[in-house]
Amino acid sequence: MPNLYRQKNEITKHNTFQMELFFSAFISYFVIIDPIGVSLIFIGLTMGKSKQYANKMAFRSIAIAFLLTVIFGVIGEPFLAKLGISIHSFRIAGGLMLFYTAFSMVTKDELYPVDKNSSEETDISVYPLAIPLLSGPGCLTLTVLLGANAKTQENGFVFVSGAIIAIFSFTLICFLAAERLARLIGKTGNDIL
């Protein structure tokens, strides 16, 4: 009986760790990608364009960012090792890039200027939506770090992949509901975000 109790405890502890891995990854991606903030930028980039165009850009940017993130999660660490870049060096470089991006966002008036009066529908799905807003240096750095941690756990990559799917699904929902979200948050909330 004590052996059965110990096995049940180990299974419960294992499942708890996997759920912690999922939630930790999801929250980390949520902070880095900022689906609500990015959806407000998305509404600014698609303002004055058709709903069909906005939906097309939303789906394309999410698909590109998702594929880039997953591919980087699978081959990122071996690729960096092949280049002679350690995971610790990558953490430092990623932190510096995040600081530069954040500093630029604070000091510049408009990071991604768009001519709102133009009727031309340019493809914004790759730049600036997928790269760098959705899968920028912070997201890719986080993916490599989570991928390295997931390899040490049984089915760890499955739970990290689940977090990636969940965050990009939530971001797509925010993109599709961006107008309502902007109205709900208001001008002051938008400025805060």
Side-chain angles (χ1 to χ4, degrees), residues 2-167:
N3 195 19
L4 182 62
Y5 180 74
R6 187 178 15 225
Q7 285 177 337
K8 185 178 178 184
N9 251 355
E10 288 175 17
I11 291 170
T12 304
K13 199 181 288 185
H14 182 71
N15 289 342
T16 302
F17 181 78
Q18 288 177 333
M19 290 309 294
E20 284 177 9
L21 178 64
F22 171 82
F23 285 117
S24 173
F26 181 82
I27 290 169
S28 298
Y29 278 115
F30 188 87
V31 169
I32 294 291
I33 294 174
D34 185 20
I36 297 169
V38 172
S39 67
L40 296 175
I41 294 171
F42 174 76
I43 194 89
L45 293 171
T46 58
M47 191 177 294
K49 310 290 192 226
S50 69
K51 187 72 172 167
Q52 182 183 9
Y53 167 79
N55 290 345
K56 180 180 173 185
M57 291 301 107
F59 281 103
R60 284 182 69 183
S61 63
I62 294 293
I64 292 166
F66 173 77
L67 287 174
L68 183 62
T69 304
V70 170
I71 289 170
F72 208 81
V74 173
I75 65 168
E77 190 178 6
F79 180 70
L80 291 173
K82 199 96 165 148
L83 294 174
I85 301 170
S86 72
I87 197 74
H88 301 295
S89 300
F90 191 68
R91 284 181 178 148
I92 293 168
L96 290 173
M97 295 224 16
L98 282 174
F99 173 76
Y100 173 75
T101 303
F103 187 75
S104 296
M105 290 174 76
V106 169
T107 58
K108 293 182 183 174
D109 284 342
E110 200 171 338
L111 196 57
Y112 305 106
V114 172
D115 182 10
K116 293 174 179 123
N117 298 325
S118 172
S119 61
E120 182 183 332
E121 294 184 344
T122 57
D123 188 357
I124 58 169
S125 63
V126 176
Y127 176 83
L129 287 177
I131 305 166
L133 290 175
L134 296 174
S135 58
C139 179
L140 298 180
T141 302
L142 178 63
T143 302
V144 169
L145 298 176
L146 288 173
N149 290 343
K151 287 179 186 173
T152 63
Q153 304 301 322
E154 183 184 338
N155 298 326
F157 197 71
V158 171
F159 287 91
V160 171
S161 298
I164 293 171
I165 291 168
I167 195 65

